[in-house]
Amino acid sequence: METASPWHLAQHPRDYNYLAGLPVWMRRRFYARYNEMALLPVTAPVSILEVGCATGEVALYLHDRYPTAAYTGTDISRHAVAVATRKFPPCRGLWPKDHAWVPSFWCGDFRDIGRKDELVFCRDVVHHQDDPLAFLTALYAKTSRYLLVRLRTTLRRDSIRGCQTINGLTVPYWVLSEHDLRRWSRTLTPLAAVTVFEHPKVCQSSVVVPNQYEHGIYAETAMVLDKRGPDKFSWRIQMESPLPFWLRTVIAINRRRRAYVCQA
């Protein structure tokens, strides 16, 4: 029986399918501005595991970066996985690079996969966990080299637990402190080279954090861990470039159009 959460609702895929059908160069422009994409490995990994793949939009970007890498996407939403599975192989004109490429999508807990992948990629999932540091540890255990995540952080000493309302349901919203992430990284086996790019911004209106969280400022932060790198922890502010107005307009129109056709 599915737990009551926004990820298990039939309308969940609509929130993550807004790039579907757009040309490849628009997708590149959209994703390339994010810090986590700047932290992707220079050398192509043999295999990629994406945890929280939703409707498979990031899979297309990762394939563009690493055409030879085997890709597996996992998500706990059967509706999102159903939408992702129906997209591949891509139709003519949508993804001209390689029509033979067919990724694997799987609905379930990534911890049940009995292998390690060279790159584990997890975007906007960690901060919704009840225990985000334990979740990060589980992700780290599934990679043979790189773990790349996007999460929420603060430069305050203590991590903060808030909440967010998504499709009428409330989920945790953790903002992790640099202090707690540094301390967590020292518990890993093996120790890793950790690089963090932090992009400060203001909380969304759907996010509620405790009153002591000044002005609702937090950071959308990319963090990569390399099991074969030197034992060091690097943290810096790295502002992401905004989307141009014309592209924001195209995506907004596509989002409304896709809301009617994205049925799992």
Side-chain angles (χ1 to χ4, degrees), residues 43-60:
T43 304
V46 173
S47 60
I48 301 171
L49 172 65
E50 183 183 2
V51 177
C53 65
T55 62
E57 289 302 306
V58 176
L60 290 170

Side-chain angles (χ1 to χ4, degrees), residues 12-247:
H12 169 64
R14 303 176 193 174
D15 300 330
Y16 298 90
N17 208 45
Y18 49 86
L19 297 182
L22 294 182
V24 58
W25 63 270
M26 285 190 184
R27 296 168 182 268
R28 289 195 190 108
R29 183 73 177 268
F30 178 82
Y31 283 118
R33 67 194 180 95
Y34 287 109
N35 281 333
E36 59 268 29
M37 303 312 180
L39 290 176
L40 282 168
V42 175
T43 304
V46 173
S47 60
I48 301 171
L49 172 65
E50 183 183 2
V51 177
C53 65
T55 62
E57 289 302 306
V58 176
L60 290 170
Y61 181 83
L62 292 175
H63 176 58
D64 187 46
R65 288 286 295 265
Y66 307 122
T68 61
Y71 171 92
T72 301
T74 70
D75 203 287
I76 62 172
S77 168
R78 62 182 177 86
H79 301 289
V81 170
V83 172
T85 302
R86 288 204 305 266
K87 288 181 181 178
F88 300 96
C91 60
R92 174 171 293 182
L94 173 60
W95 200 252
K97 188 166 193 162
D98 182 5
H99 293 295
W101 178 70
V102 182
S104 171
F105 293 99
W106 183 72
C107 179
D109 192 327
F110 71 94
R111 284 162 282 215
D112 295 333
I113 297 176
R115 68 168 193 274
K116 293 185 178 182
D117 290 278
E118 190 171 355
L119 169 63
V120 172
F121 184 90
C122 183
R123 191 171 189 264
D124 293 345
V125 176
V126 174
H127 59 280
H128 288 312
Q129 305 305 309
D130 289 320
D131 188 340
L133 294 180
F135 189 79
L136 282 170
T137 300
L139 289 170
Y140 190 71
K142 298 304 292 183
T143 180
S144 60
R145 180 158 189 186
Y146 300 105
L147 169 61
L148 178 53
V149 298
R150 173 172 145 128
L151 36 72
R152 305 296 183 266
T153 61
T154 174
L155 292 178
R156 298 172 68 100
R157 180 174 177 82
D158 297 322
S159 297
I160 302 163
R161 175 172 175 144
C163 62
Q164 183 176 16
T165 301
I166 302 175
N167 290 326
L169 296 173
T170 301
V171 295
Y173 196 97
W174 276 96
V175 185
L176 298 174
S177 70
E178 178 182 0
H179 172 76
D180 286 344
L181 280 174
R182 284 182 181 272
R183 186 172 58 182
W184 165 79
S185 71
R186 303 305 303 169
T187 69
L188 299 175
T189 304
L191 294 175
V194 183
T195 304
V196 179
F197 285 0
E198 185 181 61
H199 171 71
K201 65 173 294 182
V202 178
C203 281
Q204 305 168 15
S205 59
S206 62
V207 176
V208 178
V209 293
N211 291 332
Q212 68 268 25
Y213 194 28
E214 299 173 1
H215 309 300
I217 301 295
Y218 69 96
E220 291 186 340
T221 298
M223 178 174 69
V224 63
L225 296 87
D226 182 357
K227 287 185 173 182
R228 301 180 195 170
D231 175 16
K232 66 176 183 179
F233 193 104
S234 171
W235 189 297
R236 78 181 195 191
I237 304 295
Q238 180 74 26
M239 300 300 293
E240 296 172 345
S241 58
L243 279 178
F245 174 77
W246 65 267
L247 185 52

